[in-house]
């Protein structure tokens, strides 16, 4: 059981940009389709043969035991046809693996498990704008049989090269067979979710602070830009589409007995399912929080508009006083109060100034100006 205790340390290193093997491809294998980036045979937890074609790997496994791990990157239908026939893969699963853009899922076809994972990568940006890309998605699909595991990767992220090397450093773990590899892939994908969730949380915190902060003049800061909030909501929705559908497959792998999954390994799918559930709750809270921030932003815009309207109304009321008095005295009537009085003009000006000053003071006292 010491191997199982060390399982987490083997398959859960820190995921970050620039990690060895991150987004890299293995060398193409001689005689294999160009989409094959890795093909090896493992027996008793050790890599016994490499630089094989998928046909040679399967022939070695059937004659001498062990299991084959074949990695492909964006294979075409023609490139995958021979592998599918060699390993007896179901046509529906093969079609999904070739065309990609699938929801995370777990399906069983005869003696093969077909699992789809969405990989998420956080896109670094100096400043969040209304057009910023926050998360980038890819896909990893796994065909898991009794003596083979075939991984099909789509997109530039989610490389399994470094993971393969780490697993090869733990023969006791690899001795558990293809299900150990499947668990390691699931764990790495979910670890990626956790890292991205932390980074997205920082972006949301930044937007929230800027929305509720004010400039010295009392107006909302640039964080009030609704376009940035909408963009972040779209990216969170993309994140949610990768996380939420994976909950049921992880529950099935952790709770339902399966002949293709080693019982010792199945116990540790529960840990992956637990971490996934926590990330899902976090992503759902992101969406709710962004809704609240957007509503607050719209409320702030409405309040700002109301303040502007009150100021406009107050100044219009003040201007109305001299307009009315001057309009009255602009009428061509011969008999008007104080029309021919020596001090009539200064008196009218004083009355206008006094009334305007009183109205201005009243509006200022009530917070309209």
């Amino acid at each position: 059981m010491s191997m199982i205790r060390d399982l987490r340390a083997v398959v859960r290193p820190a995921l970050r940009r620039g990690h060895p093997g991150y987004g890299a491809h293995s060398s193409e294998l001689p005689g294999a389709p160009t989409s094959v980036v890795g093909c090896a045979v493992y027996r008793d937890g050790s890599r016994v043969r490499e630089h094989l074609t998928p046909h040679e790997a399967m022939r070695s496994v059937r004659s001498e035991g062990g299991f084959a791990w074949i990695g492909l990157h964006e294979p075409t239908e023609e490139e995958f046809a021979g592998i599918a026939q060699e390993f007896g893969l179901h046509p529906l699963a093969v079609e999904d693996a070739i065309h990609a853009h699938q929801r995370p899922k777990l399906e069983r076809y005869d003696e093969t498990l077909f699992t789809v994972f969405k990989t998420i990568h956080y896109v670094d940006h100096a400043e969040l704008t209304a057009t910023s890309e926050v998360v980038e998605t890819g896909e990893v699909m796994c065909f898991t049989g009794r003596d083979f595991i075939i991984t099909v990767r789509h997109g530039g992220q989610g490389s399994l090269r470094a993971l393969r090397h780490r697993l090869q450093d733990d023969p006791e773990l690899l001795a558990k067979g293809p299900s150990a590899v499947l668990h390691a892939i699931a764990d790495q994908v979910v670890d990626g979710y956790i890292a991205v969730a932390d980074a997205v949380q920082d972006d949301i915190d930044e937007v929230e602070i800027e929305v509720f902060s004010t400039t010295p003049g009392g107006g909302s800061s640039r964080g009030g830009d609704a376009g940035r909030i909408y963009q972040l909501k779209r990216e969170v929705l993309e994140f949610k589409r990768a996380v939420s559908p994976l909950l049921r497959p992880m529950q099935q792998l952790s709770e339902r007995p399966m002949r293709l999954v080693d019982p010792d390994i199945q116990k540790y799918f529960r840990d992956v399912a637990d971490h996934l559930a926590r990330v899902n709750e976090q992503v759902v809270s992101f969406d709710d929080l962004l809704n609240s921030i957007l509503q607050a932003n719209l409320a702030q815009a409405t309040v700002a508009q109301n303040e502007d309207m009150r100021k406009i109304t107050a100044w219009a009321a003040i201007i109305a006083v001299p307009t009315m008095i001057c309009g009255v005295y602009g009428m061509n009537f011969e008999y008007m109060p104080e029309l021919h009085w020596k001090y009539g003009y200064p008196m009218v000006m004083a009355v206008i100034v006094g009334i305007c000053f009183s109205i201005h003071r009243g509006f200022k006292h009530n917070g309209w100006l």
Side-chain angles (χ1 to χ4, degrees):
M1 295 300 293
S2 60
M3 176 277 298
I4 299 298
R5 297 191 190 97
D6 296 336
L7 183 59
R8 305 301 297 169
V10 173
V11 299
R12 299 196 63 178
L15 297 177
R16 61 187 183 276
R17 198 175 185 87
H19 191 281
Y22 187 90
H25 294 243
S26 299
S27 302
E28 295 177 2
L29 303 175
T34 56
S35 61
V36 177
V37 295
C39 183
V41 172
Y42 299 88
R43 191 171 299 116
D44 296 327
S46 299
R47 183 168 181 164
V48 294
R49 298 194 64 183
E50 53 186 343
H51 303 306
L52 303 172
T53 64
H55 174 73
E56 293 170 342
M58 197 58 191
R59 187 172 56 184
S60 173
V61 167
R62 288 171 178 169
S63 62
E64 302 177 27
F67 75 94
W69 181 358
I70 301 170
L72 300 97
H73 181 255
E74 299 182 353
T76 64
E77 185 173 353
E78 293 75 14
E79 291 173 331
F80 203 27
I83 297 175
Q85 183 177 5
E86 180 72 33
F87 290 88
L89 306 181
H90 196 280
L92 292 177
V94 171
E95 183 179 359
D96 289 345
I98 293 173
H99 297 294
H101 304 295
Q102 304 296 317
R103 282 170 53 89
K105 60 183 178 180
L106 171 66
E107 296 177 341
R108 181 168 181 172
Y109 296 97
D110 299 327
E111 293 299 315
T112 303
L113 288 179
F114 177 60
T115 315
V116 178
F117 300 97
K118 282 278 191 180
T119 58
I120 298 290
H121 169 67
Y122 179 77
V123 180
D124 292 323
H125 45 265
E127 181 181 5
L128 181 66
T129 67
T131 58
S132 295
E133 184 180 17
V134 179
V135 297
E136 185 179 37
T137 62
E139 292 180 42
V140 175
M141 306 175 182
C142 302
F143 294 87
T144 308
R146 289 186 175 278
D147 52 10
F148 68 87
I149 181 166
I150 301 173
T151 56
V152 182
R153 185 166 59 88
H154 290 267
Q157 311 302 329
S159 172
L160 303 177
R161 180 184 178 187
L163 177 63
R164 183 191 289 264
H165 291 163
R166 290 195 301 273
L167 287 173
Q168 288 173 173
D169 291 337
D170 192 340
E172 189 176 358
L173 173 60
L174 272 179
K176 294 294 181 179
S179 62
V181 179
L182 179 63
H183 170 269
I185 294 172
D187 201 37
Q188 176 169 291
V189 169
V190 174
D191 277 351
Y193 294 165
I194 295 173
V196 172
D198 292 340
V200 172
Q201 179 71 68
D202 292 339
D203 282 337
I204 295 176
D205 290 344
E206 178 185 349
V207 169
E208 184 179 21
I209 291 172
E210 291 179 352
V211 163
F212 290 101
S213 64
T214 55
T215 61
S220 297
S221 67
R222 63 183 178 86
D225 182 9
R228 300 200 307 152
I229 304 175
Y230 273 118
Q231 176 64 15
L232 198 52
K233 275 181 64 65
R234 285 194 294 267
E235 296 297 303
V236 167
L237 179 59
E238 187 72 17
F239 193 3
K240 186 177 180 180
R241 288 173 179 168
V243 175
S244 296
L246 190 58
L247 287 171
R248 181 169 177 78
M250 286 299 100
Q251 289 176 350
Q252 291 176 331
L253 286 170
S254 62
E255 298 174 0
R256 182 181 301 176
M258 297 183 182
R259 287 178 294 176
L260 297 175
V261 179
D262 187 281
D264 289 334
I265 296 297
Q266 187 172 34
K267 298 175 183 177
Y268 286 86
F269 274 109
R270 299 173 190 169
D271 186 62
V272 177
D274 177 65
H275 283 83
L276 182 64
R278 289 195 297 174
V279 173
N280 182 67
E281 292 174 0
Q282 193 173 4
V283 173
V284 171
S285 70
F286 288 164
D287 194 37
D288 294 339
L289 181 57
L290 285 171
N291 285 334
S292 299
I293 293 174
L294 183 60
Q295 291 174 0
N297 175 255
L298 296 177
Q300 284 181 337
T302 301
V303 170
Q305 290 176 351
N306 290 339
E307 290 179 352
D308 292 340
M309 289 302 300
R310 287 196 301 181
K311 291 180 180 179
I312 293 172
T313 303
W315 284 110
I318 293 173
I319 294 174
V321 173
T323 301
M324 181 188 68
I325 295 177
C326 293
V328 171
Y329 276 89
M331 295 185 291
N332 296 321
F333 291 109
E334 183 176 355
Y335 300 103
M336 297 183 70
E338 317 302 340
L339 187 62
H340 300 288
W341 184 39
K342 179 179 179 181
Y343 299 104
Y345 178 76
M347 184 195 71
V348 171
M349 291 294 102
V351 170
I352 290 175
V353 171
I355 295 175
C356 290
F357 176 77
S358 298
I359 295 176
H360 182 275
R361 187 172 182 180
F363 281 135
K364 194 78 171 178
H365 181 267
N366 292 326
W368 282 48
L369 288 174

